[in-house]
């Protein structure tokens, strides 16, 4: 009586927490699969409905981007994974927006003011979310998230064996860092 059995899970097994699938190991395989499936479902929905160009643009900016990028502040997906996530949806939404589905990425992601289509690359969106989250927490060093981030950065710096702040000079090469998120922000 009063005993509680706690099931031990692998460090590589992701757990869903507030809309993101995280694993203690930092692996993003489950999150990648979930986002890829969500992109395919949104592509299927876009295929079924007859959308005007304006409605397709609203679907991309108002539905696809918010639902796919929600976990990006804490995720560390590679650029290849981000591209694989956006492929199913972009294949459908580009023609509905009035663009050739085989248009170059440079034109696809260029701003409308410069003759581009104005779409957003998911890897760029992920970098924006990561940097915004880091700056937000570093600006509040007296609150718990800010304190934890400062501790994590100090620990990562000690682990890397360098005397300078890891984010101070992003172009400087260091050995692989202990925290994939800290290294992702450094590379962003």
């Amino acid at each position: 009586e009063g005993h509680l059995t706690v099931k031990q899970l692998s460090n590589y097994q992701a757990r869903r927490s507030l809309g993101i699938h995280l694993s203690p190991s930092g692996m993003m395989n489950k999150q990648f699969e979930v986002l890829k499936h969500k992109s395919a479902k949104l592509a299927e929905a876009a295929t079924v409905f007859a959308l005007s160009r304006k409605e397709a643009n609203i679907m991309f900016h108002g539905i696809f981007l918010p639902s796919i990028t929600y976990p990006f502040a804490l995720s560390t997906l590679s650029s290849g994974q981000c591209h694989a996530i956006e492929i199913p949806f972009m294949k459908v939404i580009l023609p509905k927006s009035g663009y050739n589905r085989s248009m170059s990425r440079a034109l696809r992601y260029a701003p409308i003011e410069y003759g581009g289509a104005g779409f957003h690359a998911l890897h760029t969106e992920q970098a924006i979310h990561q940097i915004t989250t880091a700056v937000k927490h570093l600006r509040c060093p007296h609150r718990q998230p800010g304190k934890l981030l400062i501790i994590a950065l100090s620990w990562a710096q000690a682990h890397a064996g360098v005397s300078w702040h890891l984010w101070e000079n992003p172009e400087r090469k260091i050995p692989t860092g202990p925290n994939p998120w800290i290294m992702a922000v450094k590379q962003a």
Side-chain angles (χ1 to χ4, degrees):
E1 182 179 322
H3 294 290
L4 178 67
T5 305
V6 177
K7 181 182 173 193
Q8 183 175 355
L9 300 175
S10 167
N11 288 340
Y12 299 98
Q13 184 175 351
R15 295 143 185 94
R16 184 168 190 253
S17 175
L18 298 175
I20 184 169
H21 293 80
L22 293 171
S23 69
S25 67
M27 300 293 289
M28 289 273 124
N29 297 338
K30 176 69 174 174
Q31 186 63 51
F32 170 64
E33 292 302 324
V34 167
L35 291 176
K36 200 169 157 188
H37 177 72
K38 188 180 286 189
S39 176
K41 293 298 255 183
L42 288 169
E44 184 180 318
T47 303
V48 172
F49 298 110
L51 300 172
S52 68
R53 289 181 181 185
K54 184 175 182 178
E55 291 167 338
N57 191 7
I58 291 170
M59 185 165 189
F60 177 80
H61 289 93
I63 297 172
F64 177 77
L65 271 184
S67 65
I68 296 293
T69 62
Y70 178 78
F72 275 12
L74 299 176
S75 66
T76 55
L77 299 167
S78 69
S79 61
Q81 287 176 317
C82 288
H83 183 63
I85 290 167
E86 68 189 1
I87 284 175
F89 188 75
M90 293 307 286
K91 280 185 178 179
V92 174
I93 211 68
L94 280 171
K96 291 194 177 270
S97 299
Y99 300 105
N100 187 327
R101 70 179 52 147
S102 63
M103 76 185 301
S104 74
R105 283 194 198 172
L107 284 174
R108 181 186 304 173
Y109 302 126
I112 295 170
E113 301 83 42
Y114 295 111
F119 291 102
H120 299 243
L122 289 183
H123 193 255
T124 304
E125 287 293 315
Q126 178 180 249
I128 290 168
H129 281 75
Q130 290 169 338
I131 292 169
T132 303
T133 299
V135 169
K136 176 175 69 174
H137 292 313
L138 289 174
R139 284 185 176 169
C140 299
H142 303 296
R143 298 182 73 194
Q144 186 178 12
K147 288 178 184 177
L148 291 173
L149 181 56
I150 290 168
I151 291 168
L153 285 168
S154 299
W155 180 72
Q157 178 182 344
H159 184 273
V162 295
S163 61
W164 41 271
H165 190 284
L166 292 179
W167 292 346
E168 187 176 295
N169 297 314
E171 70 281 349
R172 289 178 81 175
K173 300 287 183 205
I174 62 167
T176 304
N179 186 311
W181 187 83
I182 289 175
M183 298 309 293
V185 172
K186 180 184 185 311
Q187 293 168 353

